Amino acid sequence: MKITVVGAGNVGATVANVLAIKKFASEIVLIDIKEGVSEGKAMDMMQSAHALGYDTTVRGVTNDYAATAGSDVVVVTSGLPRKPGMTREELVGVNAKIVKSVVGEALKHSPNAIFIIISNPMDAMTYLTLKATGLPRNRVIGMGGMLDSSRFRYYLSEALNKAGHPATPTDVDGMVIGGHNDKTMVPLVSIATLRGIPVTQLLSKQVLDDVVQKTKVGGATLTGLLGTSAWYAPGASAAALVEAIVLDAKKVIPCCVYLEGEYGEKELCVGVPIVLGKDGFEKVVDVKLEGEEKAKFDESVVAAREVNAQLGD
Ligand code: NAI
């Protein structure tokens, strides 16, 4: 299994590192435009192979797409991250140019690859990749819901602990769908559980509203603390998508995909639960949305279309 990670910055290097540690690939190619950065990070990772006990080859290259040839999965993290106070959508102009050019180059050398899009605004970048490459929709998957769901589980576990229900983020089941943005993502409180018990039975509406709000601005909170966007959870979340593909896990994960009538929508990419396996996404899983959650999902769709409209031709 060969995996290319485009962009050797905070998120890209973390994805490569997690993938190497988890031994999912025989070869990982890290590629960036900044001279020497991918080479240096790849060398640093290779020098941790002995301590961590992995035999994956991590190779760093500057802009040399021939080195990425024959990749099974291409993870796209190239582009600007937001700074404190910025929205993800403000990155659309500059990142669209970067994403369009890198997916074109990567596809030339890896015509059978599955593309995982991380660069923001991710929903629009996923849509752009699909349109620019003409790939079938199962092979273009945006990562946002996995990360937002991890943040949701984290904030739920914090609230549950405070309310006297001991919980770690892994004890909690919770999913976030809709757009990967601060305003319209949809943490699905109605189906969230702690070891099978609905969280609505354990936490008050006020506490759950607070969890939802913290989840929505989870990325902005970290950007405020770090001065740039986060990388550990985004990197781990992207690696989890690669894992589901590499292991043909057929796992249900909320991801950004192109809708063709599912959830009553088409002609856009937005976060919904999908079954992820060796061929990319196999199908969209239908969750019955009602009331506020349905209204929020509809807002996500409107917001995603607005950003897509800025992509031009
Ligand atoms: P970073 O600034 O640390 O790294 C970005 C890297 O992309 C840099 O090394 C840069 O040289 C490289 N790059 C720029 N243009 C390139 C090109 N044409 N070809 C190859 N490499 C190129 O940024 P970070 O923190 O790694 O974030 C990367 C992207 O991921 C940002 O757009 C950020 O907003 C997004 N992101 C998305 C998340 C999600 O859940 N979808 C979560 C976190 C970040």
Side-chain angles (χ1 to χ4, degrees):
M1 189 66 57
K2 179 169 174 176
I3 298 163
T4 284
V5 180
V6 187
N10 286 334
V11 177
T14 308
V15 179
N17 198 34
V18 173
L19 291 174
I21 291 169
K22 290 204 157 193
K23 306 180 187 174
F24 289 140
S26 50
E27 187 181 0
I28 296 169
V29 177
L30 197 52
I31 182 165
D32 202 287
I33 39 162
K34 267 191 231 148
E35 194 78 41
V37 170
S38 352
E39 287 85 343
K41 292 197 180 179
M43 193 187 289
D44 196 12
M45 281 178 222
M46 286 308 287
Q47 291 169 5
S48 66
H50 171 59
L52 293 168
Y54 62 75
D55 55 11
T56 305
T57 301
V58 188
R59 186 174 165 205
V61 295
T62 303
N63 248 345
D64 173 15
Y65 281 85
T68 69
S71 292
D72 300 284
V73 181
V74 174
V75 183
V76 178
T77 77
S78 49
L80 260 56
R82 58 180 169 160
K83 295 224 158 28
M86 275 176 93
T87 65
R88 297 177 179 95
E89 291 67 41
E90 285 173 68
L91 300 166
V92 67
V94 58
N95 283 354
K97 286 195 190 82
I98 294 172
V99 169
K100 198 171 179 180
S101 89
V102 305
V103 296
E105 283 303 311
L107 185 62
K108 269 187 223 160
H109 296 274
S110 301
N112 300 317
I114 293 169
F115 283 73
I116 297 180
I117 309 302
I118 314 288
S119 310
N120 274 319
M122 181 278 295
D123 301 291
M125 295 303 106
T126 306
Y127 180 77
L128 172 72
T129 300
L130 200 107
K131 293 287 164 189
T133 59
L135 283 170
R137 68 173 186 153
N138 63 299
R139 286 172 52 197
V140 181
I141 298 152
M143 192 292 290
M146 178 73 200
L147 172 63
D148 297 330
S149 301
S150 299
R151 289 179 173 153
F152 183 37
R153 290 172 188 221
Y154 164 76
Y155 284 120
L156 275 172
S157 70
E158 275 207 320
L160 285 161
N161 281 316
K162 223 168 158 188
H165 305 290
T168 65
T170 50
D171 293 329
V172 179
D173 208 347
M175 189 186 281
V176 177
I177 62 168
H180 179 56
N181 75 53
D182 296 357
K183 288 206 181 106
T184 69
M185 70 174 72
V186 193
L188 294 175
V189 169
S190 62
I191 57 168
T193 55
L194 168 65
R195 291 184 282 268
I197 304 166
V199 294
T200 48
Q201 290 177 17
L202 304 172
L203 297 170
S204 68
K205 166 101 172 60
Q206 193 186 353
V207 169
L208 286 167
D209 285 349
D210 184 53
V211 166
V212 165
Q213 185 51 24
K214 282 180 173 155
T215 302
K216 286 175 154 185
V217 297
T221 301
L222 285 165
T223 304
L225 291 169
L226 299 166
T228 185
S229 67
W231 54 89
Y232 292 117
S237 300
L241 266 54
V242 177
E243 174 179 359
I245 294 166
V246 168
L247 302 182
D248 193 21
K250 309 211 186 296
K251 220 171 161 180
V252 176
I253 300 180
C255 292
C256 176
V257 296
Y258 187 73
L259 297 183
E260 288 178 344
E262 298 91 348
Y263 289 81
E265 299 296 338
K266 55 185 179 185
E267 272 289 316
L268 89 158
C269 295
V270 75
V272 291
I274 58 164
V275 176
L276 201 54
K278 69 174 171 28
D279 298 321
F281 98 83
E282 298 186 359
K283 63 170 187 165
V284 172
V285 176
D286 202 25
V287 173
K288 196 159 174 39
L289 298 177
E290 284 174 342
E292 211 180 319
E293 291 177 346
K294 168 84 174 91
K296 288 282 164 208
F297 183 80
D298 292 345
E299 278 179 34
S300 271
V301 167
V302 172
R305 289 197 198 285
E306 279 171 11
V307 188
N308 289 347
Q310 295 175 45
L311 293 171
D313 292 327

